[in-house]
Amino acid sequence: MRGCVRNSKALAPTMFPRLLFDRWGSLLGRRGLASAGEPHPTPLPSQARVVICGGGIVGSSVAYHLAKLGWKDVVLLEQGRLGAGTTRLCAGIVSTAKHIPIESKMADYSNTLYLQLEQETGVKTGYVKTGSLCLAQNQDRFISLKRLASRLKVLGIRCDVITPKQVAELHPLVNIHDLVGAVHVPGDAVVSPPDVNHALVVAAAKNGVQIHEHTSVNHVMVQKGHVTGVETDRGTIDCDYFVNCAGQWAYELGLSTEDPVSVPVHACEHFYLLTKPLEQPLQPHTPVVMDLDGRIYVRAWQGGVLSGGFEKNPKPIFTEGRSQLEIQGMQEDWDHFEPMLSALLRRMPSLDSCEIHQLINWPESFTPDMRCIMGETQTVHGYFVLGGMNSSGLSFAGGGGRYLAEWMTYGYPSENVWPLDVKRFGTLQSSRTFLRHRVMEVMPLLYELKVPRWDFQTGRQLRTSPLYDRLDTQGARWMEKHGFERAKYFVPSGKDLLALDQSKTFYKPDWFDIVGAEVKCCKEAVCVVDMSSFTKFELSSSGDQALELLQRLCANDLDVPVGHIVHTGMLNQRGGYENDCSVVRLSKNRFFIISPSDQQVHCWSWIKQHMPSDSQLQLEDVTWKYTALNVIGPRAMDVLSELSYVPLTPDHFPSLFCKEMSVGYANGIRVMSMTHTGEPGFMLYIPIEYALHVYNEVMSVGQKYGIRNSGYYALRSLRIEKFFAFWGQDLDAFTTPLECGREFRVKFDKGTEFIGREALLQQRQVGVRRRFIMFLLEDHNTELDLWPWWGEPIYRNEEPVGVTSSSAYSYTLERHVCLGFVKPPQTDPGAPTVVTADFINRGEYEVEIGGHRYPAKAKLYPFSSLFAQQRRRKDDMELSSFQGK
Amino acid sequence: MPVPSRIFTTAIRNGEIRKLGTCIFHSHNRNLCCSLPPHSLKTLHALLKTASPMTLGSGRSIKDNPLWYIKTQSYRTTSQQYYNLTPPQVNSILKANEYRFKVPEFDGKNVSSILGFDSSQLPANAPIEDRRSVATCLQTRGMLFGVFDGHAGCACAQAVSERLFYYIAVSLLPHETLLEIENAVENGRAILPILQWHKHPNDYFSKEASKLYFNSLRTYWQELIDLNTGEHPDTQEALINAFKRLDNDISLEAQVGDPNSFLNYWVLRVAFSGATACVAHIDGADIQVANTGDGRAVLGVQEEDGSWTAVTLSNDHNAQNEDEIKRIRSQHPKNEEKTVVKQDRLLGLLMPFRAFGDVKFKWSIELQKMVLESGPDQLNENEHTKFIPPNYHTPPYLTAKPEVIHHSLRPQDKFLVLGTDGLWETMHRQEVVRVVGEYLTGVHLQQPISVGGYKVTLGQMQGLLMERRARISSVFEDQNAATHLIRHAVGNNEFGVVDHERLCKMLSLPEELARMYRDDITIIVVQFNSHVIGAQSKPGGGD
């Protein structure tokens, strides 16, 4: 771990483009690349192991890494010429200042790869280590940059928080009078993307990859849910794997299959300006400037500058799908570029007299959540995707290609890439209208200041609970998860709504008291939370096939009496969580599986993958059939028993039990004695047509118990103070139950060899190398200090040992609670690699927020005092928690 | 001439005085006064500081004209408060009545030559006396657009705006359809819908009279059924018949009366007030404009060089039209030659020479007296209803028969502007077409900039772009071509550019004064689909 200078801080969440550096100084008319001098010189092979579609930098990187990992029989197809699409015109900036850590890691790897590529292949790549500067024009931006710097440092990427004056020393043209600070990443670089592309192809070809230009993929053939080959305009190739790296055509290519594959990408026009050389030519090693508040980036280009940006009003294109040829016809649009030109001249006033060389317009593809798309699709086995680079293709291509090659080789990459996994999307994100509207929001968002818990504004109200309108009129403020609207909190009438909706801060948010009141009500009276977004499956069979399957998939023992609820992980071979769910045994051979909202596609695919093809065994997605209401709080019992005339005291209805009963007039409601926060209460799974009735009944009966609506922010605070981990945020495919204190949910001796058992047994023997810890911030002023949100570095005895995965203010403990994994630093070869209770307890901990470190107390176990009452069954203490951020 | 004084004289000339003659039939409950109160004259001065007393004096006969009146109720002189309208306030006034409708290019049966229309209204009278109507014919093809300018109250304009399109639609229906409709009514079945209206929420239909209107309409189609000629109705004839028939029905309904006292009073108010009508029927490339009175239809034609030319598709029926004067004189004995048109007015009173209603100029004196005597008291309380026009010897002096002009649309015909005289009095038709044309195409017309091989610095380019941006932004203030036109009509300075200060003053005039400076303005802008018209007008492509 290097360069953690005391005052050095960090960068901002942003994404960056790249540049074209052409040996002949011309942007157009570049000749095709080597392997196919003449069109179609070599016939296509009739079969191959892997066919990669797309000869841009992404496809080339996948080919390169597959060859490196020893794959033979890899064929790369390109409809035009190699590197002639977006790659040809991209700006050539390799930047590690990205929104989420996995993206920074990918960019960091790409940087290392491109650096050595020239040596490896002998092809000049135009690599220049320029460094990059992210500028802040205001304090909020500066905070976000400092938070970025903290994150990069933990990843081992050097990065310094600097003053405006230092910016002026690093860059001769930057006007600093309106800057409050900046972040300098010295390791960032610029390259010539077509040359990097060429080098990757040359290296891949050397390792046996066959490359065919002017070959279009028309159709991907599938049999029994598995790729069997591709039809091209030059013949058919049989293959086992297909990789869709078709860039902005990936969506359409995905549809050219028997079982259409959903690749939610949509292109927007992107503009950048090239100038002629300055009078005093700009040196090639001048740092790249990212003026985020001005929405522009600037790099040196042939003595002049290259500058583009991410405007507020992007122009989406190819919504209806077009041909490759149309890219040639894309027009310069100076009127559209005006705001970016003005921003450039404001940042670098001396460019005023500089002459224009050209305004370039080319398409970039964007995704619904601003993150790229990677992995095997859920509909077709052997069909892999890498794309949707959100105009950071060059920065991500190296790392993305590597992860995808690892994925194809080992079944999963060496890092947790769930945030990028194609399975985070379903067909619900495939509507062209949705994509068109969403990418118009995503593109400007790349450079926009993002405060904690921002939400997308477009493409909303797609999936809603039947209670949506009801809750909305009662002041609900909404966030979206997997297309589903969920209430964050309820604004009491009389509050200034406008001010609340506009508040954006890294400090104490305006909803603090609102959520506090909801938490109090959950603790002291009773609240109702609509949790309908949960993924709900039913698994049933004629015999005991369903039980057998679940026993193999789940670490916990599912062979429980009918009516029992079991919290369990579904683990992979490494013992890591593929899913964390609650399973209800409805009858002997029928199970109800409740998973987090964004597991809808992933969990389905995981179960299907391990399900024997047996017509007697059926899996059904019943998410849409049920509205889920969480009645939470000490008086929940009173409310429900009034509505059902059934005693609901713990004696009659022990915890983690499920009964079908009537609530009000409605019969057949699945009432479960569990909550996802550890408070006493019930989950009601209500067939949707009864939802409004049950809700109304609960609210009217609950009135005398002080019932009110509550949202996810309150739940989040409640679950974090109880040290509950959440899949997708705290738990991932690289985390085992032993690492997060959930050994009691693993039944090694249940008599079935469940997936991951071997790995867990071994881990139990050796000990865990990382441990999920709860931190209580000390000396932190909730009113005045920056709040922790997530991703803050954790220091133990001055050494970085991890980052927080989630955090919240605990209204009960009256302080901030952060959750995160701690791993002993590997700087010292003699240091222990296994985390013991002793190791945890003997450390002095600090959490770094925006460059400032706050002392923190580490705890391995939750406060038992927080668990109010009625502990009936042993594992009541550790209830699963699904609620999102 | 200094700008404000020009406004003033224009307003006087165009506004109040020209309708003086007709004002006498103005509905009863308004206070009348025979001369301008001195304090309001003072206010005029205050409002238009630079307007000299000389100019005021030359605004002929404000004080002298015994028929001059303005409303005086709730009059306030705190004029300062009207001055400070912010741009958003100005916009909310201008946009209050705007409406926009987009026609689907292909509705499943036919392609439409009409892209859509924008309409807007700015009142000067309170309540406004203009009306507008737009409807799609459902049983035949084509769309109907109309603007109606009422005088002596809004009753007649209201009735015509509700009824005229039904009369036109029925006149256009083939015999079989008429039979089908009649059978449906006879047997109490649901009737085929005849029109689909495109109304702004402020455009209302009166519920009370609908039964009465329906019965009259039914009588009309029953007669059409009996008259069956076996021929497909000719559009031009249909329009003329519809106009005449409706006016006839208005007249008859007033003579017959109605047992319901409200309706009885209403039909009399309709008949004793008046309205002009300018109606366009557009079907494919065929456009027929039927005009009665001084509304006007103007076509916006884009020349090959991109400039705009106005082609008028209607003739004004007023004293400025020689043919109209000749027509009227020829219809009356020689000894009336001097009196029938006097001071540019019909019988020295009425400005438009054709109109609906206005039975004062149509009925015999005996009939007028008889109807008034048997009519409700409210009618008789009003002195002016009893007033018989001077030199009234050989009625009728007035007709509702329209003049119909046909035009075949060409690809260069981009839009049609229908407007009441409130628009045409303030803006020349050429100017109107230019403003609308530039509004509709303005943004696209700006050629994209291309650097090409020229030497351009970043600073020069930025300057150029900022200038282009400023030009566009004024156009972007309006989302409606008709509203944009009103903004110009009311706010234009001598350079043809909207002057915000002037716009503010004109819009902040108190209700009582507004009518002196401007008339009600009603505008419909119909946009054509040049591609469709181009395809239809190709040889063999159309009919």
Side-chain angles (χ1 to χ4, degrees), chain A residues 81 193 306 469 535 752 783:
Chain A
R81 279 181 308 213
L306 176 159
D469 282 346
T535 297
T752 310
E783 300 289 329

Side-chain angles (χ1 to χ4, degrees), chain A residues 403-555:
Chain A
Y403 289 147
L404 195 79
E406 288 173 351
W407 198 326
M408 294 170 69
T409 313
Y410 309 118
Y412 205 74
S414 54
E415 293 281 350
N416 169 37
V417 295
W418 167 248
L420 315 177
D421 194 327
V422 63
K423 293 194 191 78
R424 73 188 186 274
F425 296 122
T427 47
L428 73 92
Q429 285 92 356
S430 292
S431 144
R432 277 320 258 176
T433 314
F434 167 79
L435 286 171
R436 184 180 168 89
H437 291 176
R438 178 56 70 80
V439 298
M440 287 174 77
E441 181 181 5
V442 163
M443 182 165 153
L445 208 52
L446 292 173
Y447 273 13
E448 214 139 89
L449 178 70
K450 285 169 286 294
V451 296
R453 302 194 188 174
W454 57 272
D455 293 302
F456 286 107
Q457 301 301 312
T458 54
R460 294 290 296 268
Q461 293 176 322
L462 179 56
R463 300 169 73 206
T464 56
S465 145
L467 304 176
Y468 179 85
D469 282 346
R470 216 55 210 296
L471 302 179
D472 198 54
T473 52
Q474 295 177 74
R477 287 291 172 274
W478 302 93
M479 62 183 197
E480 169 242 23
K481 184 85 171 181
H482 200 58
F484 210 107
E485 296 291 332
R486 313 198 296 188
K488 298 190 280 197
Y489 47 81
F490 288 80
V491 179
S493 51
K495 270 266 178 185
D496 183 354
L497 304 183
L498 200 65
L500 200 63
D501 289 341
Q502 285 171 347
S503 76
K504 286 183 165 187
T505 180
F506 290 93
Y507 292 89
K508 181 183 144 184
D510 287 356
W511 42 257
F512 183 80
D513 294 328
I514 297 175
V515 173
E518 289 176 12
V519 166
K520 189 160 182 273
C521 187
C522 288
K523 292 243 173 210
E524 294 171 3
V526 53
C527 279
V528 176
V529 191
D530 184 345
M531 302 179 91
S532 307
S533 69
F534 282 168
T535 297
K536 305 165 247 316
F537 293 157
E538 265 184 38
L539 184 71
S540 56
S541 59
S542 53
D544 53 5
Q545 301 96 319
L547 178 64
E548 268 172 34
L549 175 63
L550 285 178
Q551 286 291 55
R552 185 164 152 60
L553 284 173
C554 302

Side-chain angles (χ1 to χ4, degrees), chain A residues 273 275 332 334-335 338-339 341-342 344-345 351-356, chain B residues 446 449-451 454-462 465-466 468-469:
Chain A
L273 167 74
T275 73
E332 56 187 333
W334 279 100
D335 291 304
E338 183 271 318
L341 177 60
S342 297
L344 174 65
L345 292 178
L351 291 178
D352 193 86
S353 57
C354 177
E355 260 179 57
I356 294 165
Chain B
Q446 279 204 341
I449 302 181
S450 177
V451 176
Y454 298 102
K455 285 188 176 181
V456 184
T457 68
L458 298 190
Q460 290 167 337
M461 178 58 87
Q462 190 197 17
L465 294 175
M466 298 304 277
R468 283 159 70 91
R469 169 141 308 193

Side-chain angles (χ1 to χ4, degrees), chain B residues 381-428:
Chain B
E381 277 164 22
N382 187 335
E383 297 257 324
H384 297 275
T385 41
K386 289 183 184 160
F387 173 85
I388 300 292
N391 307 307
Y392 197 78
H393 308 300
T394 50
Y397 288 89
L398 191 65
T399 174
K401 183 187 172 196
E403 196 174 358
V404 182
I405 292 178
H406 172 256
H407 176 81
S408 289
L409 289 172
R410 305 155 298 170
Q412 63 266 38
D413 300 335
K414 299 297 181 190
F415 58 88
L416 178 76
V417 180
L418 292 178
T420 55
D421 62 323
L423 169 68
W424 307 111
E425 299 286 359
T426 51
M427 276 175 93
H428 190 266

